[in-house]
Amino acid sequence: VFPSKITTEQQSLMLVKRLLAVAVSCITYLRGIFPESAYGTRYMDDVCVKILKEDKSCPGSSQLVKWMLGCYDALQKKYVSPPVSFGCFTCIETLVSTITECYHFKFKYTHNGPLLDISSTTKRNDSTITCADTKKASILLIRKIYVLMQNLSPLPNDVCLTMKLFYYDEVTPPDYQPPGFKEGECEGMIFEGEPMYLNVGEVPTPFHMLKVKVTTEKQRMEGVDKSILKQGETNAPLQVLRVDGDDPEEE
């Protein structure tokens, strides 16, 4: 996963893609979305991780892999604006989707190249970021995801998946859609229940910034050690999440 050095934008972009793949794979594996056959095994130093793969016996995992490739295409072209939202929702007869859990991956492009930021409250100069910093932060992020996913209460049995991308209008061609995506119908997502917002971590490089955030129902957080994550919450029973704006707890 980790290059020996990160001196070019392409090296940084490759790391960001790999970490995105690891994060999404860990989330779906530990939340029980796909069967064991949909994953391969890889290692990040001493951390064993499961990675999604295309599995003919599991069309859902193959579809998610295609979404990831489409996301990579938009990221490569620098069209993606914060965030990439990966959500679990329940389907009801009226065809209205209510989000029950959502993961936000927020990208920023620096003048030097790709930087991966996973929700850190401390700011640092891009030029001071070393490969060792990036590696340490990456492993910490994956460990935090593992701890969080293992402590959250289970998802409903009938959940479906969705992924939303947002673009910078000033640089993205009007007719551009990455492979596997179509034009969206709305910018927000309806969240049913009492949402809890969580900032998971930070992974910096001299070129990109990526933030990973989670929104889930508050009752699923009852078994989670609150010291491992920064959190915010609201008291509204039904929230419309503006996934293209600032964090809810910061507005």
Side-chain angles (χ1 to χ4, degrees):
V1 173
F2 302 107
S4 58
K5 58 181 179 179
I6 304 174
T7 57
T8 68
E9 183 173 356
Q10 191 61 36
Q11 289 173 332
S12 179
L13 179 61
M14 181 59 67
L15 176 62
V16 170
K17 290 178 179 179
R18 289 175 177 174
L19 286 176
L20 181 60
V22 171
V24 171
S25 297
C26 288
I27 290 166
T28 57
Y29 181 78
L30 293 170
R31 297 306 270 149
I33 304 294
F34 301 120
E36 186 78 26
S37 62
Y39 300 88
T41 301
R42 297 288 185 273
Y43 288 87
M44 294 175 61
D45 275 11
D46 61 339
V47 180
C48 178
V49 295
K50 296 292 185 176
I51 303 295
L52 268 172
K53 61 182 182 180
E54 291 192 81
D55 180 8
K56 293 181 179 179
S57 65
C58 183
S61 67
S62 297
Q63 181 62 53
L64 182 51
V65 169
K66 290 179 181 178
W67 287 349
M68 297 294 292
L69 294 175
C71 180
Y72 292 166
D73 183 81
L75 189 60
Q76 178 86 40
K77 293 178 169 68
K78 296 186 178 182
Y79 291 164
V80 176
S81 72
V84 173
S85 294
F86 170 61
C88 301
F89 66 92
T90 54
C91 295
I92 56 179
E93 294 180 358
T94 58
L95 300 181
V96 175
S97 300
T98 55
I99 295 293
T100 188
E101 198 161 279
C102 191
Y103 303 87
H104 310 286
F105 300 89
K106 304 185 81 172
F107 298 93
K108 290 183 180 179
Y109 309 94
T110 72
H111 65 281
N112 288 332
L115 174 65
L116 176 58
D117 168 32
I118 317 227
S119 169
S120 171
T121 57
T122 59
K123 303 300 179 183
R124 56 200 301 179
N125 190 303
D126 295 344
S127 62
T128 68
I129 297 170
T130 67
C131 193
D133 294 330
T134 299
K135 182 176 181 179
K136 181 179 179 180
S138 300
I139 293 176
L140 180 60
L141 167 67
I142 299 305
R143 285 176 173 166
K144 279 189 173 184
I145 289 176
Y146 263 75
V147 171
L148 177 60
M149 297 300 103
Q150 290 172 337
N151 284 276
L152 287 176
S153 299
L155 290 168
N157 293 327
D158 60 343
V159 294
C160 302
L161 300 180
T162 186
M163 183 176 283
K164 285 178 177 278
L165 300 181
F166 292 84
Y167 310 117
Y168 291 110
D169 290 338
E170 60 271 21
V171 296
T172 306
D175 58 349
Y176 173 77
Q177 296 297 338
F181 287 83
K182 63 180 181 180
E183 186 172 356
E185 298 177 355
C186 62
E187 294 184 348
M189 296 184 292
I190 296 176
F191 192 96
E192 187 171 7
E194 188 173 356
M196 173 82 70
Y197 307 99
L198 302 156
N199 293 327
V200 180
E202 176 179 290
V203 180
T205 85
F207 301 93
H208 286 106
M209 174 68 75
L210 168 65
K211 292 186 177 182
V212 176
K213 303 173 183 293
V214 178
T215 306
T216 190
E217 290 184 6
K218 185 178 180 181
Q219 62 184 14
R220 289 202 192 100
M221 289 293 299
E222 292 177 355
V224 177
D225 181 356
K226 303 302 189 296
S227 66
I228 66 170
L229 298 165
K230 176 186 173 183
Q231 63 204 41
E233 55 186 286
T234 74
N235 296 319
L238 186 66
Q239 285 286 317
V240 177
L241 304 182
R242 292 283 301 182
V243 295
D244 60 334
D246 294 330
D247 303 326
E249 69 270 23
E250 294 173 354
E251 291 182 351

